[in-house]
Amino acid sequence: PLRNAFRIGFDSLVSSAVGEMWANHEITAITFQAYSLLLEAEIARSPEKVTDLQYSYEQLAPVFERLQLVLAPITPERDRVLRAALDLYQLGFGPASIFSLRDSEINDRAAAARLSTESHALAQLFANRAHTLTMRLRETAADDSQALQAMLALAGFIQLLLIVVVVLVSVAIGWHYVGRRLISRIMSLKTAMDQHAMGMDAEISLEGKDEITDMAHALQCFVRQRTTVESALRQSLDSLNEAQLIANFGSCTWDEQTARWQWSDGFYRILGFTPVEISAGWQEFLERVDAADREKVQRFFLHLTPSARIFEIDFSLRRKDDSRCAVTTRWKYAKVGSRITGNLHGTLLDVTERQQIEDELLKVRKLESIGVLAGGIAHDFNNLLTVIMGNTALARRQLPSDHAIQNFLRLSENAANRARDLTKRLLTFAKGGDPIRSVTDLRTILAEVVEFVLHGSNVRCHLDIPESLWAADVDSGQIGQVFQNLVVNADQAMPDGGVIKISCRNERIGRDGMGALLAGDYIRIDIADQGHGIAREHLKRVFDPYFTTKEMDSSKGSGLGLAIVHSIIRKHSGAIDVESSPGAGTTFTLHIPARSDETAAASPPSPALTAAQDDTVSSGLVLVMDDEEMVRDVAGSMLEHLGYEVLMAGDGGQAIDIYRRCLSEGRPPDVVLMDLTVPGGLGGEKAAAGILALDETARIIVSSGYSTNGVLENYQEYGFCGIAGKPYRLTELSATINEALAGAPFLDQRRDRF
């Protein structure tokens, strides 16, 4: 029974060790208490003591039942531990319990003592009788009586000696087996268990083939499972941190008991702090909230009540560097079973970049809406301007130069030219304003723009452009307009004079990109002035159409300049940014796609800066196709003034018929001036294909004030040999037709293409 008691006690000990993960410390303590009660019962000397110990042991029955419930869903290895614990539980109950056995043993010993007493009494009686008999038979039994007394004394001594020997041997065996073997192995396992509980590695002894070894195997299996779980947990935490890093995501928990936040690494990363740099208290959290949103956040948390709902709120936080970051947050109270606690879980997603992209998309939509509006009126407006400018130019040439009406016509022509420029600006927003790209040297364009804009100004310009600057893949006319608008703004920002610094450099952006820019080669251009700067609240709106901090008048612009710049750069797949603060000047930074593999050729002068050429008298047959009769009439008058013979067509089908008739007569038109857009009729693109099917040497010039189909960007691909933009100018129209008549190379390119 003693060995079994120690074995059962050891089972309880290991069960408590395993129960560190599955039961609570109370069960472990009660198990050891049961073990102690059983040991005390083993050495108890009185039935009353055994009864008291049994009563105390019965008080532990509910705890053992709880142990059975807690350890019910377990693995087979833990099942052996459960059976060992339940064996300990059963050992203290029933007729075969230690208490019953001990009580029986004490009673048996009492009975033996009574029997011994009775035997002693009988022996005494027998002795008395023997003494009487001896007295009677002294002479005959004296020797026998002495021998009997000697034997009784010897029997008592031998009995006492045997009892002492048995006790000593039992103590020696128990000490050797329990003290030196069992207890030492139990303590070794307990030490290993404690070390593993603290996260340290420890060797578990597997010597022998007894129950202790089986328990050591069970403990080793538990340690392996725990190590596997901890490794999986660490991997899960690492994956969670990596996911939060990728998503710019953070989480936090408000602990109701400690009244403090628990912030994740992602949350600290959003704020730009490390955990040792900022305290996770409520006041510190509020101080990180942007001042404009602080009252809203306080009101939000004040009205939060424990419920199963998920709450959402968006606000801005101040980072360590005092920059603002926009976050969208979700909050939910924690639950324990079916009870909702006061602990609040929250997630924060940094949407600063997304908000910037949305702001950028909003700007784009604004520009596109202006583009749709501009494109809708551009066609008709350009036709009207063509009539006005054409007739005005013809009227001026019909009158003597000193005629009194010349001044009025000149003013009208200037006004029409300004209206034409305004239309071109509006068309920059339209889909038809796509750039016609070519390999261009930006140094030439910048030099021309600076000389043109700052001529006569009290502002100087310092150009820092390296000789190794890459060529740009741009529309030289549109990029010239970008530089012109930015230099004009810089000049107007310094009415008392100053210096504009323009620096260019090559920049290669890696595969991760930079902001809205994709990976590739770019030319970075910084245009900085020393002016009064732009207020912070205005910086986000500087690229909005018709937004300006200047007085809206004819001398300082209409608020379209930077919007045009933004639209042109966006259509070139580039980017523009601005940095400014009041009193510290303004710097615009452009990134323009480059051609690092080619050498920049000399860029043609910007159309806005090109001097007008003199119109000369020519000859030839020109076919004009336009759906507007007024435009046909003024174009015909202008061409006749230039010396050409003119044929008219109202749509593409009529133009094909006229060309076919002229071709059959042996005198095809020398040049065809063809409008691209014909509402409800055959337009210039299909008409050009029809004429080229009749005569592959036909010289066709596309004419349009507005187009959305991209023909103007790659007009050679559609068989055209030149572009004549509306409204017409005599000099430009003459130069375009002369170039078409003299330009043979395009015919060779057309043969190769078609």
Side-chain angles (χ1 to χ4, degrees):
L2 184 60
R3 179 177 179 179
N4 290 336
F6 278 107
R7 181 183 305 162
I8 293 169
F10 174 73
D11 289 341
S12 175
L13 175 64
V14 176
S15 172
S16 299
V18 176
E20 287 188 9
M21 297 297 296
W22 302 91
N24 54 36
H25 296 289
E26 179 185 1
I27 297 174
T28 304
I30 295 301
T31 303
F32 279 101
Q33 186 176 354
Y35 170 65
S36 176
L37 292 174
L38 292 175
L39 287 181
E40 290 185 26
E42 186 70 17
I43 61 175
R45 297 297 183 183
S46 65
E48 293 80 9
K49 180 63 174 182
V50 173
T51 302
D52 292 338
L53 292 174
Q54 186 175 9
Y55 174 79
S56 299
Y57 190 89
E58 289 173 351
Q59 302 306 308
L60 303 180
V63 179
F64 280 105
E65 293 175 359
R66 178 181 175 188
L67 172 62
Q68 184 177 4
L69 292 176
V70 171
L71 298 178
I74 58 178
T75 61
E77 289 80 8
R78 296 189 187 120
D79 186 51
R80 292 200 299 271
V81 177
L82 174 60
R83 288 198 298 268
L86 293 179
D87 289 342
L88 175 63
Y89 165 70
Q90 295 295 337
L91 196 60
F93 294 91
S97 69
I98 289 179
F99 299 104
S100 299
L101 294 176
R102 186 57 180 168
D103 185 72
S104 298
E105 181 182 357
I106 293 173
N107 291 331
D108 291 341
R109 287 187 177 182
R114 286 195 301 273
L115 290 176
S116 177
T117 303
E118 291 176 357
S119 298
H120 182 71
L122 290 174
Q124 186 67 35
L125 179 61
F126 176 77
N128 291 335
R129 290 180 179 180
H131 179 67
T132 302
L133 182 60
T134 301
M135 291 297 293
R136 292 175 182 176
L137 303 174
R138 178 173 297 179
E139 291 85 4
T140 60
D143 295 335
D144 294 336
S145 177
Q146 292 178 359
L148 180 61
Q149 289 181 359
M151 287 179 70
L152 288 175
L154 181 60
F157 175 76
I158 292 173
Q159 183 182 8
L160 179 61
L161 183 61
L162 288 175
I163 292 174
V164 172
V165 170
V166 169
V167 171
L168 291 177
V169 170
S170 299
V171 171
I173 293 174
W175 174 256
H176 174 75
Y177 184 77
V178 177
R180 296 187 59 183
R181 295 186 61 189
L182 295 181
I183 293 179
S184 62
R185 293 176 66 186
I186 290 172
M187 293 305 298
S188 176
L189 288 178
K190 183 178 183 302
T191 301
M193 179 186 66
D194 293 339
Q195 290 178 346
H196 281 291
M198 292 185 293
M200 298 184 297
D201 293 332
E203 183 179 357
I204 299 176
S205 177
L206 301 177
E207 298 178 356
K209 295 182 179 180
D210 52 9
E211 291 84 349
I212 296 180
T213 305
D214 293 338
M215 294 176 183
H217 279 289
L219 179 59
Q220 187 180 58
C221 180
F222 164 73
V223 169
R224 289 174 181 171
Q225 291 180 352
R226 174 178 174 176
T227 303
T228 302
V229 171
E230 289 178 347
S231 177
L233 180 60
R234 282 193 297 269
Q235 292 179 359
S236 177
L237 290 175
D238 292 341
S239 299
L240 178 60
N241 289 331
E242 187 68 19
Q244 290 192 3
L245 174 63
I246 294 173
N248 215 357
F249 178 84
S251 60
C252 60
T253 299
W254 173 256
D255 192 324
E256 185 180 31
Q257 293 184 348
T258 62
R260 295 186 65 79
W261 291 100
Q262 296 176 2
W263 293 339
S264 70
D265 292 343
F267 190 96
Y268 283 107
R269 191 163 44 246
I270 291 175
L271 291 177
F273 287 94
T274 61
V276 298
E277 292 178 327
I278 184 173
S279 175
W282 172 252
Q283 192 60 36
E284 287 77 8
F285 174 77
L286 277 183
E287 289 178 358
R288 289 296 101 196
V289 177
D290 188 59
D293 296 332
R294 194 167 298 162
E295 183 179 352
K296 177 180 73 173
V297 172
Q298 284 181 307
R299 190 166 55 250
F300 172 80
F301 283 104
L302 183 63
H303 291 85
L304 274 184
T305 55
S307 68
R309 286 183 53 197
I310 296 178
F311 303 90
E312 297 184 7
I313 184 174
D314 297 340
F315 54 89
S316 295
L317 293 172
R318 287 191 305 110
R319 296 191 180 98
K320 180 180 179 181
D321 59 1
D322 209 35
S323 62
R324 287 348 185 233
C325 65
V327 294
T328 179
T329 67
R330 294 167 64 89
W331 305 88
K332 188 178 187 302
Y333 280 97
K335 291 180 66 176
V336 176
S338 60
R339 183 177 64 87
I340 298 176
T341 69
N343 294 340
L344 184 64
H345 297 312
T347 62
L348 297 91
L349 179 63
D350 188 347
V351 295
T352 306
E353 184 175 352
R354 185 178 74 185
Q355 194 174 78
Q356 292 173 349
I357 294 175
E358 290 175 352
D359 292 342
E360 190 70 16
L361 288 176
L362 181 60
K363 292 179 183 178
V364 171
R365 292 191 184 100
K366 289 181 180 179
L367 296 178
E368 288 178 348
S369 64
I370 296 294
V372 172
L373 177 63
I377 65 175
H379 183 269
D380 295 337
F381 190 60
N382 274 328
N383 286 339
L384 294 175
L385 281 179
T386 299
V387 176
I388 294 172
M389 293 181 65
N391 286 321
T392 302
L394 291 174
R396 290 191 64 191
R397 282 161 177 76
Q398 296 294 329
L399 294 174
S401 59
D402 58 349
H403 197 282
I405 300 179
Q406 281 283 1
N407 187 47
F408 299 109
L409 293 176
R410 181 181 59 80
L411 294 176
S412 298
E413 193 172 34
N414 290 340
N417 284 330
R418 295 189 63 180
R420 180 193 188 196
D421 293 338
L422 180 59
T423 304
K424 287 184 177 179
R425 292 185 181 183
L426 289 174
L427 283 176
T428 304
F429 301 113
K431 294 181 179 178
D434 291 333
I436 303 175
R437 302 172 187 248
S438 62
V439 180
T440 306
D441 184 4
L442 296 183
R443 293 174 296 184
T444 304
I445 300 179
L446 277 170
E448 289 180 352
V449 168
V450 169
E451 182 180 359
F452 177 78
V453 174
L454 299 183
H455 180 72
S457 173
N458 60 350
V459 173
R460 296 182 297 106
C461 182
H462 174 70
L463 290 173
D464 180 14
I465 307 176
E467 292 293 330
S468 59
L469 190 69
W470 289 330
D473 188 21
V474 296
D475 183 320
S476 58
Q478 291 188 3
I479 291 299
Q481 189 175 4
V482 168
F483 294 153
Q484 182 176 345
N485 287 347
L486 293 178
V487 174
V488 166
N489 279 356
D491 178 48
Q492 293 179 353
M494 298 182 290
D496 298 328
V499 177
I500 301 174
K501 295 181 180 179
I502 301 178
S503 61
C504 304
R505 72 170 183 265
N506 301 325
E507 187 168 321
R508 180 161 290 159
I509 295 178
R511 62 182 180 181
D512 294 335
M514 184 180 71
L517 294 174
L518 301 176
D521 295 333
Y522 294 86
I523 299 174
R524 172 172 174 162
I525 303 172
D526 295 299
I527 301 178
D529 62 52
Q530 300 172 337
H532 45 71
I534 303 173
R536 182 173 183 176
E537 62 270 17
H538 294 155
L539 273 179
K540 291 185 177 180
R541 299 189 59 195
V542 293
F543 297 114
D544 291 350
Y546 297 108
F547 174 80
T548 179
T549 57
K550 308 171 188 175
E551 184 179 353
M552 297 281 285
D553 58 30
S554 59
S555 63
K556 293 184 179 180
S558 57
L560 276 177
L562 291 180
I564 292 172
V565 168
H566 184 276
S567 178
I568 291 174
I569 295 299
R570 180 177 58 84
K571 289 180 180 180
H572 279 80
S573 301
I576 182 171
D577 195 13
V578 58
E579 292 183 1
S580 182
S581 57
T586 302
T587 300
F588 285 91
T589 300
L590 308 176
H591 282 85
I592 299 175
R595 294 288 296 272
S596 58
D597 56 338
E598 296 192 23
T599 303
S603 174
S606 173
L609 308 176
T610 304
Q613 301 176 359
D614 294 334
D615 53 290
T616 57
V617 177
S618 305
S619 62
L621 179 61
V622 179
L623 172 59
V624 177
M625 188 278 283
D626 199 291
D627 62 309
E628 290 285 347
E629 183 179 1
M630 292 186 300
V631 176
R632 293 198 303 271
D633 291 341
V634 73
S637 299
M638 295 173 74
L639 291 170
E640 289 174 352
H641 175 76
L642 294 174
Y644 296 103
E645 185 180 351
V646 182
L647 297 176
M648 303 289 189
D651 60 24
Q654 187 178 358
I656 294 175
D657 293 338
I658 294 175
Y659 198 96
R660 181 185 293 110
R661 186 180 71 248
C662 293
L663 188 63
S664 64
E665 294 174 355
R667 192 194 176 196
D670 297 292
V671 175
V672 180
L673 184 63
M674 187 170 292
D675 188 19
L676 188 61
T677 306
V678 178
L682 189 66
E685 180 182 347
K686 294 183 178 180
I691 292 176
L692 289 175
L694 299 174
D695 181 9
E696 65 176 9
T697 64
R699 294 172 171 85
I700 308 174
I701 299 174
V702 61
S703 171
S704 180
Y706 172 72
S707 174
T708 61
N709 58 10
V711 173
L712 297 180
E713 183 178 357
N714 300 296
Y715 62 90
Q716 297 94 338
E717 300 290 336
Y718 299 89
F720 297 106
C721 61
I723 299 176
K726 295 180 183 179
Y728 305 132
R729 285 181 177 175
L730 272 174
T731 53
E732 295 175 356
L733 185 60
S734 175
T736 303
I737 293 177
N738 288 335
E739 184 179 354
L741 291 172
F746 79 89
L747 292 177
D748 297 333
Q749 297 174 5
R750 180 187 294 170
R751 290 191 189 97
D752 296 337
R753 187 176 294 112
F754 294 95

